[in-house]
């Protein structure tokens, strides 16, 4: 059974669609948290803190937006859940990227650092529009993981991360070209997003199996 509510927000969503929207959020968090957990023994507390904080912020932002859509289907419009999406995910992705860059340096050198420079790099760019902030962080994180995959001769993991990047760009292209308030367009966008996050998770699993040290 489907419920469609259209109010001043002019969006048509179904309950099933709203529930499916939780899938990419869940797959992202599982993958991001697995990467952070695997890196814990090799990197500094600062790097690990950035990874965990970033993944949690991205998860909360995505979960709140999905929850907003689910409540919206029943006629409950709580704008704070919707408007928190970019303010949570943009810095979250940048923190995660900062943690990955720091981790890559520490894995290569075998030394841990305090990470002051990377924290500064992640915070001084707060004037950048949130969408660009989010995109740089998410793409940058996947690029770092791709490099780690190939550096450790884990080519399958690297290919999974590349596929995740491809679907990420496809998701961005669809969000620009389509009207996301239309049901079919939202299904298409979230389907592509889910596939991309599944590839991210599969890459993280492969890295977990073979490790981060070549």
């Amino acid at each position: 059974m489907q419920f469609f509510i259209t109010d001043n927000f002019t969006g048509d969503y179904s309950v099933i669609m709203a529930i499916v929207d939780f899938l990419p959020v869940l797959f992202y968090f599982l993958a991001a948290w697995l990467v952070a957990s695997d890196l814990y023994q090799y990197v500094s507390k600062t790097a690990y803190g950035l990874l965990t904080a970033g993944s949690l912020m991205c998860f909360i932002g995505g979960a709140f937006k999905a929850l907003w859509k689910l409540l919206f289907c029943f006629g409950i419009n709580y704008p704070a859940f919707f408007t928190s999406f970019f303010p949570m995910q943009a810095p979250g992705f940048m923190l995660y990227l900062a943690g990955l860059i720091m981790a890559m340096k520490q894995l290569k050198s075998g030394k841990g650092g305090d990470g002051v420079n990377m924290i500064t790099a992640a915070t001084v760019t707060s004037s950048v529009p949130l969408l660009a902030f989010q995109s740089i962080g998410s793409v940058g994180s996947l690029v770092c993981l791709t490099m780690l995959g190939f550096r450790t001769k884990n080519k399958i993991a690297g290919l999974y991360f590349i596929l995740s990047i491809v679907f990420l760009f496809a998701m961005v292209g669809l969000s620009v070209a389509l009207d996301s308030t239309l049901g079919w367009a939202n299904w298409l966008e979230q389907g592509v997003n889910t596939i991309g996050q599944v590839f991210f998770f599969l890459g993280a699993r492969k890295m977990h199996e073979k490790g981060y040290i070549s």
Side-chain angles (χ1 to χ4, degrees):
M1 184 175 183
Q2 293 183 324
F3 299 85
F4 291 90
I5 302 294
T6 301
D7 68 2
N8 292 333
F9 195 82
T10 64
D12 291 329
Y13 304 116
S14 69
V15 173
I16 296 176
M17 179 195 298
I19 293 174
V20 170
D21 274 6
F22 282 96
L23 290 179
V25 178
L26 179 61
F27 277 114
Y28 167 81
F29 182 69
L30 289 175
W33 194 263
L34 183 60
V35 170
S37 299
D38 287 341
L39 289 173
Y40 175 76
Q41 60 183 314
Y42 304 114
V43 301
S44 65
K45 292 181 179 179
T46 302
Y48 178 72
L50 289 172
L51 291 169
T52 53
S55 59
L56 281 170
M57 290 179 71
C58 291
F59 172 75
I60 292 171
F64 275 3
K65 185 176 180 181
L67 180 59
W68 167 82
K69 190 177 293 183
L70 181 61
L71 294 173
F72 189 78
C73 292
F74 294 99
I76 303 171
N77 188 7
Y78 192 65
F81 282 165
F82 178 80
T83 56
S84 66
F85 179 68
F86 282 120
M88 291 293 291
Q89 285 213 341
F93 276 118
M94 288 302 291
L95 288 175
Y96 199 80
L97 173 59
L100 279 175
I101 294 175
M102 191 185 303
M104 289 180 68
K105 291 182 177 180
Q106 293 170 6
L107 287 171
K108 190 173 183 178
S109 65
K111 299 178 180 179
D114 59 15
V116 173
N117 291 336
M118 285 312 305
I119 294 177
T120 303
T123 55
V124 298
T125 52
S126 59
S127 61
V128 178
L130 292 179
L131 178 59
F133 211 16
Q134 181 194 43
S135 300
I136 293 169
S138 56
V139 174
S141 297
L142 288 169
V143 169
C144 287
L145 289 169
T146 301
M147 293 171 64
L148 279 173
F150 285 105
R151 179 192 292 179
T152 56
K153 297 180 175 59
N154 195 339
K155 295 181 180 179
I156 296 178
L159 290 174
Y160 279 141
F161 292 134
I162 289 174
L163 287 171
S164 184
I165 294 172
V166 171
F167 277 89
L168 174 61
F169 278 113
M171 169 68 178
V172 173
L174 289 173
S175 65
V176 172
L178 302 177
D179 182 357
S180 299
T181 63
L182 298 176
W184 68 271
N186 199 265
W187 272 110
L188 181 59
E189 291 174 14
Q190 291 306 319
V192 170
N193 188 21
T194 300
I195 294 172
Q197 298 305 333
V198 168
F199 279 128
F200 178 26
F201 175 72
L202 291 174
R205 282 289 300 173
K206 281 296 179 182
M207 292 299 294
H208 175 72
E209 292 171 2
K210 295 192 174 183
Y212 287 78
I213 302 295
S214 59

